């Protein structure tokens, strides 16, 4: 197992599971073989006791970080993600594509025009007739208005634009749209969140709803609220998107991860936005 997969396993796996028979699990978006008896255990975090499920106990991932990592995120002079933000500001003002048009030519000063935008994504886009993420909305603008080639997933340019736009909403509450199409996508994402996947036969909810605040080995399990992406992850030593983190978790439980841009990832992102509704946006975040 690679270091990345092992780290994903530590962060994703929540509870000790026991089963009597191995079985094939085939569900929409995932294929997996369920092992007979996965041997994973969670130790209770000495500083944290899981409250009743009905209590309002939502906490950003920053709450579970060390004081040093919190300080790194909170100080723009220390936050390494600010390098991508600076790059995004340059790209915002740079003409691109056959149209030779900059983002600023249509949207003006991002500090005003993009205020609150990132807090509202994913959202239904009537032009493409489906829900899109902020990164996908950037790509639609790029290919449409700028007539430029799409940017590769996880490319520095795409992450830089997403971080720059996201930062304009920093401190604002996550506010997913309430239209029928976006909420339907979020509901499908909720079902995926609760669905067991992979050879370890674990769901996202088992870790981040049922066992947050407890420890798996040396790692504290966070609630996994998506209110800081894109994030500079110390393990990655670079900036990364929410889809990258989701795919990291999936491979950690030994499931086949969908490709970037897949419907499964968009729906999960829609659910996570609804789940984090009201929490302040921290973009660009830092995480362990």
């Amino acid at each position: 197992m690679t270091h990345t997969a092992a780290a994903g396993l530590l962060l994703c796996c929540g509870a000790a599971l026991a089963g009597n028979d191995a079985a094939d699990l085939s569900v929409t978006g995932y294929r997996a073989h369920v092992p007979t008896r996965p041997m994973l255990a969670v130790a209770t975090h000495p500083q944290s006791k899981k409250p009743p499920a009905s209590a309002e106990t939502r906490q950003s991932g920053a709450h579970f970080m060390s004081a040093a990592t919190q300080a790194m995120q909170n100080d723009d002079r220390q936050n390494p993600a600010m390098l991508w933000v600076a790059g995004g500001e340059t790209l915002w003002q740079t003409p691109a594509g056959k149209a030779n048009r900059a983002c600023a030519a249509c949207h003006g000063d991002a500090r005003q025009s993009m205020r609150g935008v990132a807090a509202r994504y994913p959202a239904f886009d009537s032009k493409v007739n489906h829900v899109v993420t902020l990164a996908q909305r950037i790509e639609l603008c790029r290919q449409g208005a700028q007539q430029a080639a799409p940017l590769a997933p996880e490319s520095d340019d795409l992450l830089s634009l997403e971080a720059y736009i996201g930062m304009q909403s920093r401190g604002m509450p996550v506010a997913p749209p309430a239209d029928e199409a976006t909420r339907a996508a979020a509901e499908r994402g909720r079902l995926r969140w609760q669905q067991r996947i992979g050879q370890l036969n674990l769901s996202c909810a088992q870790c981040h709803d049922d066992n947050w605040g407890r420890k798996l080995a040396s790692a504290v399990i966070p609630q996994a609220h998506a209110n800081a992406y894109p994030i500079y992850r110390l393990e990655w030593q670079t900036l990364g998107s929410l889809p990258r983190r989701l795919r990291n978790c999936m491979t950690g439980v030994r499931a086949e991860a969908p490709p970037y841009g897949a419907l499964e990832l968009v729906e999960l992102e829609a659910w996570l936005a609804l789940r984090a509704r009201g929490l302040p946006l921290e973009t660009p975040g830092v995480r362990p």
Side-chain angles (χ1 to χ4, degrees):
M1 182 182 294
T2 66
H3 292 306
T4 300
L9 178 61
L10 286 174
L11 289 170
C12 291
C13 302
L17 300 176
N20 295 323
D21 301 308
D24 285 321
L25 176 66
S26 180
V27 291
T28 303
Y30 310 101
R31 288 191 61 82
H33 180 74
V34 182
T36 301
R37 191 176 292 271
M39 298 301 292
L40 295 172
V42 175
T44 300
H45 190 290
Q47 303 294 326
S48 177
K49 182 179 180 181
K50 186 177 182 298
S54 60
E56 177 52 77
T57 55
R58 292 182 307 160
Q59 294 170 328
S60 166
H63 173 83
F64 300 93
M65 302 191 307
S66 69
T69 307
Q70 290 175 348
M72 182 183 295
Q73 173 175 294
N74 294 335
D75 186 344
D76 288 348
R77 297 168 299 178
Q78 296 186 51
N79 188 335
M82 294 305 295
L83 294 172
W84 281 263
V85 171
E89 183 176 13
T90 298
L91 289 168
W92 181 265
Q93 299 168 350
T94 303
K98 293 180 180 179
N100 194 34
R101 181 180 298 169
C103 304
C106 291
H107 301 289
D109 187 346
R111 292 172 296 181
Q112 298 175 7
S113 64
M114 294 293 109
R115 183 72 176 154
V117 170
R120 300 195 296 267
Y121 274 83
F124 178 76
D125 190 298
S126 59
K127 292 183 179 179
V128 295
N129 200 35
H130 61 79
V131 172
V132 299
T133 65
L134 177 59
Q136 290 173 329
R137 177 65 260 176
I138 292 170
E139 292 281 41
L140 288 170
C141 279
R142 180 175 172 82
Q143 295 175 63
Q146 293 180 308
Q147 299 177 42
L151 298 170
E154 299 305 302
S155 64
D156 278 345
D157 282 358
L158 182 56
L159 288 169
S160 294
L161 282 167
E162 188 175 1
Y164 178 62
I165 293 170
M167 185 179 171
Q168 310 313 316
S169 302
R170 187 165 61 175
M172 297 184 69
V174 176
D179 63 275
E180 183 177 351
T182 304
R183 288 299 170 89
E187 173 60 18
R188 292 190 295 270
R190 183 187 68 82
L191 296 176
R192 295 184 187 281
W193 177 263
Q194 296 175 340
Q195 175 183 307
R196 292 180 183 230
I197 62 172
Q199 290 182 326
L200 299 182
N201 195 27
L202 289 167
S203 71
C204 309
Q206 283 178 282
C207 290
H208 302 295
D209 287 347
D210 300 342
N211 286 287
W212 65 265
R214 295 173 178 167
K215 271 193 172 182
L216 182 66
S218 61
V220 180
I221 302 172
Q223 295 178 355
H225 292 297
N227 61 320
Y229 286 86
I231 59 169
Y232 186 93
R233 195 166 184 225
L234 299 180
E235 179 191 337
W236 297 337
Q237 288 292 289
T238 191
L239 201 70
S241 68
L242 176 54
R244 178 178 179 178
R245 188 68 191 95
L246 291 171
R247 295 175 82 250
N248 192 191
C249 281
M250 291 170 182
T251 57
V253 298
R254 302 175 191 170
E256 183 177 350
Y260 286 103
L263 179 64
E264 299 96 312
L265 297 177
V266 175
E267 290 176 347
L268 274 169
E269 203 166 327
W271 163 242
L272 289 172
L274 185 59
R275 184 171 173 267
R277 180 174 54 186
L279 291 177
L281 207 66
E282 299 173 9
T283 305
V286 176
R287 293 295 184 266

